Amino acid sequence: MTESVETAALTPAPGRAVPEKSGQTGTVVRSTVLRRLFKNPLGIIAIVILLAMAVMAVFADALAPFDENFANISKTLAAPDGVNILGTDSSGRDVWSRLLFGAQLTLASALLCAAVAIAIGLPAGLIAGYYAGKFEAVSNWVVSILMSLPGLIVLLTIRAAFGPSVWIAMIAFGVLISPSYFRLTRSAVQSVRNELYVDAARVSGLSDLRIITRHIFSVVRAPIIIQTAAIAGVAIAIQSGLEFLGLGDPAKATWGVMLSEGFKNVYLTPSLLFWPAFAMALTIGALVLLGNAIRDALEDGEKIKHRRKKIRTAEDAATASAAKAARKTVATVEAGTEHHLVKVTNLGVGYPQADGSVKKVVDDVSFHVDRGEILGIVGESGSGKSQTAFSILGLLPDTARIVAGAIQFDGNYTVAPGEDKVSQDRLSKLRGKRISYIPQEPMSNLDPAFTIGYQLVTPMMRVLGISKAEATTRGMKLLADVGIVNPERTFKAYPHEVSGGMAQRVLIAGAISCEPDLIIADEPTTALDVTVQADVLDLIRDLQRRLGVGVILVTHNFGVVADLCDRVVVMQNGRLVEEGPVREILRNPKKEYTQTLLASMLEGKEPMTMLVPAPSSVTARSTAKENVL
Amino acid sequence: MTERAALDAAESAPTQRGLLRVEDLVVDYAGKGFRAKKFRALTDINISIGQGETLGLVGESGSGKTTLGRAVLGLAPVSGGRITFEGQDISHATRRQRRVLSRDMQVVFQDPYTSLNPALEIGDILAEPLGVQGMEATAAKKRVKELLDQVGLPSDAIHRLPREFSGGQRQRVAIARALALSPKLIVCDEPVSALDLSTQARVLDLFLQIQKDTGVSYLFVSHDLDVVRHISHRVAVMYRGEIVEQGPAEVVTRDPEHPYTQRLLLASPVPDPDRQEKRRADRHRLLEMQRQQNEQAGVPA
């Protein structure tokens, strides 16, 4: 469910019980990529280094005291002094000046390489990704050929053919490396090509060029920048490597040529080797760090500090300490409640936020389920119904905290009062054996890599400790039990070979395979067609009667509730609105919210009339502003 | 085609049903791989929509109802048959023709999360179709304000991003975008399926209100018979790429003739335990009856 997104609100709705002042309200952050980049110390260091390098390169003519090839024969391999601040090389050329001019040529050629690679890879990737078809097929062939070429040998060949020009070498390398841009762009475009907003733009009659520049290019912009940082580093390394081997143009000062020169005199003046190597290491390192920093900035990676105890508000702390006192005396449940299969008492679930507050998604929820009873938890998205179910299952995300209340299962606490996490020790003994789960999306809950039989048999072998043969027989029987006509074929099938309704039957078979006492079904029929839904509901009802299990059915559909449930809990914004027998809730709801929900049902309404009571336009407008939507 | 549907088609004057006509439409999708078999998504579809009329299209997933909507919009390949809009054949309209057509024909998609570009502000999203038609920036801005008002969104929404809005609000933005050029037909592809119950009710109200105010026609695609009954004048039921039943909403959704529509009607649960129990029993009886009929007719189950 997209609960967190759904409740994203401009302003908190009046009368909202949950104190949600933080988190979802102010989540909107714009143009923060740059800001976040500047907050990252490594990012700043990288930017400063690169800017310094760029300034040195651009103003090399002004900054350098000597020409790059000005040789003072009388002063070779000199140590640093006032005139030659970094000393001179074997021909008496000033190292500092050559370093500056080297920066100019090295950086410019690296940029040329990246520019060539982008100029080829980006448009080709955009076109291949957007139009697919023949162009994509042909360009994939070209890319494969380019990638299979041995890069260094090609560069050596090109040098042999065209002479020792750093520019030509870098253009060639740019062509060789363009497939990386092509692939990056193509896959990014493919991921958005079929997005509905692109379809909407097509319906609006936008030309392909406008669609690509406006809607698609923005997706590839960031990865291209990151990729360029990496590619520029690689280009510097490759170019310097070639020149180090002596394949560069000795008349031009680049870091690679200086490196080669320094290596020849490594025993006489090691510093000749050091300075170009230092400049290269600094630049390449800065480029890599910059790429990482941009990626981090884009990934929205704001970390939440785990201040487990301090995050509580005063009120919560009071209940917690009281609860702690209670735990010291008794770890057993309240007398007289042991007979309930599940009892949830004043449960609160919250997520610690970056600013230290806790965003509550479930607040003060209490209900119980008895054996052989079906309890429906009804609510809209963001009502906390799934979070409640997950806290019984112990499947809350790691960041979630139980901020109040307790959960007991069959007379024992799974969450004792005062505990802030679900005890995985206690729950792992129950989950799969006594508590099982039917999920919402049947397809995404079956592993596509394994057969259905394997996924059914393995848990049984593990949980029940039976042999594979026995588990297989049992699995077959279960599949027959859940109304699968040809169990053997389904048993051997992979998940993609069965329909959604069939997959849900398989998951239900899995849920009852270890004879649980409680089944938690989270919107078990929402993803299914109506006719299939009716069949699956029939199945759940039959099984529940036959096995006498307790069921918690989380749903948003009152029809499903009416079909299956004995009792109903209505939730809104994390709070329990109303609880009662199904007939009472559906026929005479006491609370306004339940009445509104039931009034929104289309069944039995006069067609073509307004559903929300008049004056509809005003209501719609004001409610939109209140963000009840 | 049933007798009643034929009758229904006969009584409808062509002028009334003149806005959109789909005749013997066939849509094939190319299969994956070399010389792969084509996949027939739609077979011999015949529908028509008149001015100010809503045709509800109902069916289960994979029935081709979304494909039909997309074919009308030019987003699915037309392999056979004809689609005419105001008498003009648009089965194979070029992008240029589509641009002209987009003034009269618009779309609201199912998923309000992916139908709006997350990188663009609401104002830019709404101004896009206006800009395509060559409207000036100032005029476009005025129109965007009108649109936001029309769909019940605050005017400060212009400078916000889609992610700042809830599902229902985003769907209002998508509806505003569809309305921007005052179209004659809006193809609505499951526009309320992703929404909560109470939000769904408000958005349906909005659709009805807009139709009342502007006289726009809808091709309203949904899997939910209740939704379709509520909003449609006429309903067409799709099953496995074909239209199995078509007629006035009241008749098709209350007293259907085709076995599939009958199953569909009884499968949707009602929010009352006792009535639902009865409906459940009715459904089992119907399934049993249809099974026997099939057996007698020699059709394998």
Side-chain angles (χ1 to χ4, degrees), chain A residues 257-269:
Chain A
V257 167
M258 292 175 70
L259 205 62
S260 171
E261 161 89 24
F263 188 67
K264 286 173 196 152
N265 299 299
V266 67
Y267 294 113
L268 297 171
T269 325

Side-chain angles (χ1 to χ4, degrees), chain A residues 61 83 111 170 233 256-257 322 353 407 438 465 518 539 571 588 610:
Chain A
D61 289 306
V83 183
L111 283 181
M170 282 296 99
V257 167
Q353 301 295 302
I407 302 172
I438 303 173
L518 174 71
L539 172 64
M571 287 185 70
N588 304 308
M610 295 295 158

Side-chain angles (χ1 to χ4, degrees), chain A residues 10 28 203 205-206 208 214-215 380-381 529 535 538 541 563 583 587 608-609 611-612 624 627 629, chain B residues 61 70 95 99 102 117 128 132 152 159-160 164 166 169 196 198 205 230 272 274 276 280 283-284:
Chain A
L10 302 174
V28 180
V203 172
L206 254 69
D208 283 345
R214 196 175 156 90
H215 291 288
E380 299 189 301
S381 51
D529 281 322
D535 291 339
D538 282 349
R541 186 181 324 98
D563 192 65
R583 283 180 179 73
R587 286 179 188 162
M608 301 275 177
T609 54
L611 294 161
V612 181
N627 284 293
L629 270 186
Chain B
S61 54
R70 291 178 69 86
R95 189 59 70 86
R99 196 173 310 159
S102 74
N117 187 340
E128 186 165 69
V132 173
H159 294 297
R160 289 165 183 266
E164 296 173 55
S166 66
Q169 289 173 320
D196 274 328
S198 55
D205 280 357
H230 188 76
D272 184 275
D274 297 331
Q276 171 58 19
R280 204 158 59 210
R283 174 170 171 271
H284 289 151

Side-chain angles (χ1 to χ4, degrees), chain A residues 218-279:
Chain A
S218 60
V219 187
V220 295
R221 205 169 39 201
I224 289 285
I225 294 173
I226 296 168
Q227 181 87 342
T228 303
I231 295 272
V234 172
I236 293 176
I238 288 281
Q239 180 207 338
S240 305
L242 285 174
E243 286 162 344
F244 178 72
L245 295 175
L247 303 172
D249 183 355
K252 296 276 182 201
T254 67
W255 291 342
V257 167
M258 292 175 70
L259 205 62
S260 171
E261 161 89 24
F263 188 67
K264 286 173 196 152
N265 299 299
V266 67
Y267 294 113
L268 297 171
T269 325
S271 68
L272 282 185
L273 195 63
F274 172 76
W275 289 114
F278 179 64

